Amino acid sequence: DFYFEDTKTWYDMFQRGLRISDGGPCLGYRKPGQPYEWISYTEVAEQAQLLGSGLLAKGCLPNSSQFVGIFAQNRPEWTISELACYTYSMVVVPLYETLGLEAMVHILDLGKLAWLVLHDISLVICDREEKAASLLENKEKGLTPKLSCLVLFNDFSDTFLERAKKCDVEVLKYTQLIVRRFQVPPKPEDLAVVCFTSGTTDKSMLTHGNIASNTSSVIKILEGYFVIRQDDVSISYLPLAHMFERMIQVSMFCHGARVGFYQGDISLLMDDIKTLKPTFFPVVPRLLNRIYDKVRSFLTSPLRRALLNYAVRKKLAELSSGIVRNNSLWDILVFKKIQASLGGNLRFALTASAPISPAVLSFLRATLGCLIFEGYGQTECTAGCTFSMPGDWKAGHVGAPLPGSMVKLVDIPEMNYLAKNGEGEICTRGPSVFKGYLKDPERTAEALDSDGWLHTGDVGQWLPNGTLRIIDRKKHIFKLSQGEYIAPEKIENVYMRCVPVLQVFVHGDSLESHLVGIVVPDPEVFVDWAKERGFVGSYQELCQNPDVKNAVLEDMKAVGKEAGLKSFEQVKDLYLHPEMFSIANGLLTPTLKSRRTDIRRVFQEQLSAMYNKSKIKS
């Protein structure tokens, strides 16, 4: 279950990093236009112990029945707060803005349901006054009566302090919670985190043993091929409220390596990366697609395009022979600028959270000159259950089961996926699988069967070499009126390869016989793409032009046909929308997945209009 005998909890893994780093740099941050500054492992451990002691002084209990909320963007204090909780065996409950009022209130009042006796969350750690104010508003409305203390990283106003006093909530600066007490480290079986599954209100309970085991399995599969070094550095920008980023961090800590935080503004991420020069890059497919599209958009001449394609073929030939490098002739002549845009020092990248196009993955493996692995998993199995095998650089699959994880496929008769044909719903079992959903035995019984198998809701296919390919999604399946089953995410992943398309949402209705879609054109290429086809105008004007819409629709159909989409899987009409789906407008989850219910609600008028138009035509 554990790679190192002395690392059986998150706390243990950090302590190992503290020992082997000899007090070296641990957490990095930067101010605008400045280089990164570093907090040492020794300082992080010291601050965590003092903060954890302060939490006890405020009435928190040093055991795994004590929940502490963290409501903040990625920054060093987030990680220090998490370590503070684990130093005294407390449980972290990450909060994030897009959860919405109902979910937030439910989290902060966890103790109201009786089947599992827990302390209510009375104390929440926040980064800034605005977030703390949203929690205070819930208290003022009587929705979270147990909330009694807010701890802020940033300064806060006297007005806010007075407002909090009126509803009996104490407000403290992060640095005020400084008390020293003996540590109470957790055990492997102790609950570590209650983590929301992206896009849902499911509350997954994960133990320290789950986290240590999942980290161990990745270390094991890379054994003899890749080892994290103390001089490695990862960029932290994916939300810490989700397990993917937290597992990356604890893997770095276990080896005494460094984690540098972005400034909190996604528009400055590329500048942060160039400054930090990370060697380790956790990434989601949506960002890799953006990098791919940006590189391709610069290929304005046939000669440049031909040179790049030739260089990519040469590098892919090296990859097929097991050679991964960034110092070939083609790197120097063609790829150096692309590599420099990501800092120029990348050794390892890991993509997860959603499927990625094989063409994009192969292209980036060639151009970036570093190891790029793909993993598959979900919150309920801590993070990953399959992982690319070192040396297998063929794209189009998510690797083999991780050491310690068992994976099987089970029949989905209604979708004609049968395990005897090597296809079915992906199920996994092992020490990384969660203990269930907090206070929700019905949902737990749906996800975990009596033999301990986690039913993921994803559809997989075994390939001849023993790797797994994700081919469908069970949870978002719907039927058209003629009885055909539709997996919209599969179709969306195909359409994302269209040059003018940045984001796409495919919609269908059981009373309708065809699909329609919402498309956000890529603002970086859309105007030029339209001009090449004889359409002139601003980005907003082009989005309103019906002829431009038809040109985009034809392009999407061509890409869909090439990818093998059936006629009923092709959208028949589109609405071009000039504003990106984002976390801020509530249309993406913190892991950048579409909030399908919310998108459907926001665009209900346009979706209905497209269907009504087709009825009039017929």
Side-chain angles (χ1 to χ4, degrees):
D1 288 359
F2 307 108
Y3 191 84
F4 301 108
E5 190 55 36
D6 59 348
T7 56
K8 297 181 179 180
T9 67
W10 195 107
Y11 176 84
D12 291 342
M13 286 186 281
F14 185 87
Q15 294 302 311
R16 182 178 188 273
L18 175 63
R19 288 194 305 275
I20 67 175
S21 70
D22 196 26
C26 179
L27 304 178
Y29 63 95
R30 70 183 293 229
K31 296 171 183 173
Q34 299 295 313
Y36 270 82
E37 300 176 50
W38 293 93
I39 307 170
S40 72
Y41 270 86
T42 304
E43 292 173 296
V44 170
E46 176 77 4
Q47 289 183 35
Q49 184 178 353
L50 294 174
L51 176 61
S53 298
L55 295 177
L56 299 187
K58 285 298 165 188
C60 292
L61 301 176
N63 60 51
S64 58
S65 294
Q66 178 66 62
F67 289 9
V68 175
I70 302 179
F71 189 20
Q73 275 189 311
N74 295 27
R75 55 192 284 176
E77 294 91 338
W78 206 114
T79 299
I80 292 169
S81 299
E82 181 175 31
L83 180 58
C85 291
Y86 296 155
T87 302
Y88 293 94
S89 296
M90 290 180 271
V91 178
V92 171
V93 183
L95 311 176
Y96 50 90
E97 290 168 296
T98 55
L99 273 173
L101 174 64
E102 182 182 350
M104 197 82 78
V105 169
H106 185 64
I107 300 170
L108 295 175
D109 209 16
L110 288 172
K112 279 200 168 179
L113 298 175
W115 81 276
L116 186 61
V117 180
L118 295 164
H119 292 277
D120 298 329
I121 297 182
S122 58
L123 186 148
V124 179
I125 301 171
C126 304
D127 51 358
R128 59 183 193 270
E129 183 176 317
E130 293 83 355
K131 287 183 181 174
S134 67
L135 300 179
L136 193 61
E137 186 177 342
N138 292 337
K139 176 66 182 279
E140 290 169 335
K141 292 177 179 177
L143 298 173
T144 53
K146 301 295 183 184
L147 183 63
S148 62
C149 185
L150 293 168
V151 180
L152 274 73
F153 297 156
N154 295 355
D155 292 330
F156 47 85
S157 66
D158 291 338
T159 304
F160 178 73
L161 186 63
E162 288 303 313
R163 178 183 167 190
K165 282 181 181 177
K166 290 178 182 177
C167 52
D168 297 321
V169 173
E170 185 178 14
V171 182
L172 298 169
K173 186 76 188 297
Y174 177 80
T175 51
Q176 288 179 268
L177 282 183
I178 302 297
V179 182
R180 185 177 297 280
R181 295 196 184 187
F182 291 112
Q183 300 173 10
V184 186
K187 298 182 289 297
E189 62 271 21
D190 286 343
L191 189 60
V193 61
V194 175
C195 195
F196 270 68
T197 302
S198 182
T200 75
T201 54
D202 289 336
K203 300 166 286 296
S204 298
M205 296 186 292
L206 298 171
T207 66
H208 282 274
N210 289 148
I211 294 170
S213 174
N214 203 244
T215 306
S216 295
S217 64
V218 175
I219 297 171
K220 181 66 178 177
I221 206 170
L222 295 173
E223 188 177 59
Y225 197 86
F226 180 86
V227 177
I228 300 174
R229 305 184 307 225
Q230 289 176 37
D231 61 352
D232 277 320
V233 57
S234 175
I235 177 79
S236 176
Y237 67 99
L238 297 174
L240 276 163
H242 291 273
M243 288 308 298
F244 180 35
E245 173 63 24
R246 305 247 293 290
M247 293 303 293
I248 293 293
Q249 286 202 9
V250 76
S251 298
M252 300 299 283
F253 297 150
C254 188
H255 292 86
R258 294 176 289 157
V259 174
F261 292 85
Y262 83 129
Q263 294 177 72
D265 183 346
I266 203 69
S267 68
L268 300 175
L269 176 61
M270 297 311 292
D271 182 59
D272 290 334
I273 289 174
K274 288 176 185 175
T275 304
L276 183 65
K277 301 184 186 303
T279 59
F280 204 100
F281 188 34
V283 64
V284 292
R286 197 178 289 265
L287 181 57
L288 290 179
N289 288 336
R290 293 282 287 158
I291 295 170
Y292 173 83
D293 291 338
K294 196 157 190 175
V295 172
R296 304 295 296 189
S297 70
F298 285 130
L299 303 176
T300 52
S301 73
L303 179 62
R304 281 188 175 184
R305 193 175 298 115
L307 178 62
L308 181 77
N309 290 338
Y310 183 76
V312 167
R313 286 198 300 274
K314 286 294 186 182
K315 285 295 295 290
L316 287 176
E318 288 192 348
L319 271 175
S320 65
S321 302
I323 300 171
V324 180
R325 58 173 176 160
N326 61 4
N327 58 356
S328 71
L329 176 65
W330 303 110
D331 290 302
I332 296 167
L333 293 179
V334 182
F335 302 137
K336 219 61 182 173
K337 280 189 178 179
I338 302 171
Q339 294 166 8
S341 70
L342 294 174
N345 288 344
L346 279 188
R347 297 204 307 129
F348 185 107
L350 174 61
T351 177
S353 89
I356 182 170
S357 158
V360 172
L361 187 56
S362 295
F363 178 85
L364 292 174
R365 278 175 170 160
T367 56
L368 296 182
C370 69
L371 301 169
I372 302 182
F373 290 90
E374 186 172 8
Y376 162 76
Q378 52 189 211
T379 305
E380 289 84 347
C381 59
T382 305
C385 62
T386 74
F387 201 85
S388 305
M389 292 293 290
D392 178 10
W393 305 124
K394 291 179 182 176
H397 62 77
V398 292
L402 279 164
S405 292
M406 290 183 281
V407 176
K408 70 175 181 177
L409 303 180
V410 299
D411 293 347
I412 312 174
E414 68 272 20
M415 296 175 69
N416 202 31
Y417 290 124
L418 302 175
K420 68 179 182 180
N421 299 328
E423 298 175 337
E425 182 182 9
I426 301 167
C427 298
T428 182
R429 185 171 72 177
S432 295
V433 171
F434 78 148
K435 301 307 172 190
Y437 296 114
L438 179 66
K439 299 184 178 180
D440 198 341
E442 289 184 13
R443 282 286 297 120
T444 298
E446 289 174 18
L448 283 176
D449 65 27
S450 57
D451 294 322
W453 288 96
L454 169 66
H455 292 248
T456 66
D458 291 313
V459 183
Q461 176 188 54
W462 290 120
L463 300 183
N465 64 354
T467 59
L468 185 68
R469 175 184 290 159
I470 310 301
I471 58 172
D472 221 329
R473 179 77 173 152
K474 184 181 177 185
K475 291 182 181 177
H476 292 146
I477 299 298
F478 56 81
K479 262 187 186 181
L480 294 176
S481 60
Q482 68 270 42
E484 300 287 4
Y485 281 97
I486 298 294
E489 290 166 319
K490 180 189 78 172
I491 300 169
E492 289 161 1
N493 286 329
V494 170
Y495 287 151
M496 288 289 288
R497 295 279 43 84
C498 296
V499 172
V501 174
L502 176 64
Q503 295 169 320
V504 59
F505 172 77
V506 170
H507 173 73
D509 191 294
S510 60
L511 300 177
E512 304 289 348
S513 62
H514 65 274
L515 303 173
V516 294
I518 306 294
V519 166
V520 178
D522 188 337
E524 293 187 8
V525 302
F526 187 48
V527 173
D528 290 339
W529 180 89
K531 189 182 291 184
E532 290 173 4
R533 287 153 182 78
F535 304 109
V536 179
S538 67
Y539 177 76
Q540 285 76 12
E541 289 168 344
L542 292 170
C543 284
Q544 296 171 7
N545 187 325
D547 294 327
V548 174
K549 180 200 75 172
N550 289 333
V552 174
L553 182 58
E554 289 307 310
D555 194 55
M556 289 171 59
K557 286 181 176 178
V559 171
K561 185 176 181 180
E562 186 181 346
L565 291 184
K566 299 179 178 68
S567 60
F568 63 82
E569 293 178 302
Q570 295 268 31
V571 295
K572 299 296 187 285
D573 201 359
L574 288 179
Y575 172 74
L576 297 183
H577 185 60
E579 182 186 351
M580 285 176 60
F581 306 157
S582 67
I583 298 172
N585 61 27
L587 301 183
L588 292 183
T589 72
T591 51
L592 306 182
K593 294 175 184 173
S594 296
R595 287 186 174 274
R596 307 196 70 82
T597 303
D598 293 314
I599 294 174
R600 197 177 300 116
R601 174 180 50 78
V602 168
F603 293 100
Q604 187 57 56
E605 182 181 339
Q606 291 85 352
L607 296 170
S608 298
M610 285 187 276
Y611 279 129
N612 290 336
K613 186 172 70 173
S614 68
K615 289 172 185 173
I616 292 171
K617 284 183 178 179
S618 60

